[in-house]
């Protein structure tokens, strides 16, 4: 398995400890659980920086976390979303190397989105880019 896939799987496995529904690269379900849902997208590996002696590719891969909550009451939506974001922040800062797989993992600020659906409770979401910095000897590994 490539280093890229090992890192993405490690991040996904870590997110599954959040005690809410966590999925990877799946479509948004028709109904959102009361506790919310996190969908991890593999994102963009980006262009590597190269060091030539010995050859090393340094990546700043950006995965994305979509955190989605749904509730009729806006205060409840806000509290649930904020609580999930705090838990993700704690989770990411507790091991910034994903057990040594990366050089550094850090989130960028979230983009907050509210989606109004006629006849259904409003959804509120946060899209969080998560930067995974790592190096490898081959851009495909």
């Amino acid at each position: 398995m490539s280093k890229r896939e090992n890192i993405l799987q490690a991040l996904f496995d870590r997110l599954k400890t959040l005690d809410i529904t966590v999925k990877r690269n799946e479509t948004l379900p028709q109904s959102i659980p009361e506790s919310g849902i996190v969908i991890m997208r593999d994102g963009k590996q980006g262009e590597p920086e190269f060091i030539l002696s010995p050859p090393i590719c340094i990546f700043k891969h950006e995965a994305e976390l979509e955190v989605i909550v749904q509730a009729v009451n806006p205060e409840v939506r806000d509290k649930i979303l904020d609580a999930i974001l705090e838990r993700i922040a704690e989770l990411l800062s507790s091991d910034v190397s994903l057990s040594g797989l990366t050089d550094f993992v850090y989130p960028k600020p979230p983009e907050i989105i509210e989606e109004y659906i006629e006849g259904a409770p409003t959804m509120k979401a946060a899209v969080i880019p998560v930067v995974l910095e790592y190096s490898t000897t081959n851009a495909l590994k």
Side-chain angles (χ1 to χ4, degrees):
M1 190 179 316
S2 69
K3 187 165 188 179
R4 174 190 63 253
E5 182 58 28
N6 276 327
I7 290 168
L8 290 168
Q9 188 61 47
L11 176 59
F12 180 63
D13 291 343
R14 179 81 33 100
L15 291 168
K16 288 193 299 187
T17 67
L18 287 171
D19 197 29
I20 62 172
T21 302
V22 178
K23 299 189 178 277
R24 181 175 173 197
N25 296 322
E26 291 192 25
T27 58
L28 183 65
Q30 289 186 346
S31 64
I32 305 298
E34 276 186 35
S35 59
I37 186 170
V38 174
I39 301 175
M40 184 186 113
R41 307 274 178 215
D42 289 355
K44 301 172 192 133
Q45 190 173 18
E47 290 295 318
E49 292 180 37
F50 288 98
I51 297 175
L52 297 177
S53 187
I56 297 176
C57 302
I58 302 169
F59 285 100
K60 288 186 178 180
H61 186 127
E62 272 195 29
E64 282 189 344
L65 305 181
E66 297 173 5
V67 181
I68 304 144
V69 299
Q70 187 172 27
V72 173
N73 184 317
E75 290 177 7
V76 171
R77 269 194 316 268
D78 294 344
K79 285 181 182 179
I80 294 171
L81 183 63
D82 189 58
I84 295 170
L85 294 179
E86 283 186 333
R87 291 185 1 228
I88 289 172
E90 289 173 17
L91 185 78
L92 294 177
S93 65
S94 69
D95 180 8
V96 296
S97 72
L98 289 177
S99 299
L101 289 173
T102 64
D103 297 323
F104 199 57
V105 175
Y106 60 92
K108 289 185 172 180
E111 175 187 354
I112 306 295
I113 303 163
E114 288 201 64
E115 188 72 34
Y116 302 96
I117 302 168
E118 190 174 328
T122 299
M123 291 184 352
K124 189 167 187 174
V127 178
I128 309 161
V130 176
V131 179
L132 308 162
E133 291 188 18
Y134 63 94
S135 58
T136 181
T137 57
N138 185 309
L140 298 177
K141 292 185 177 184

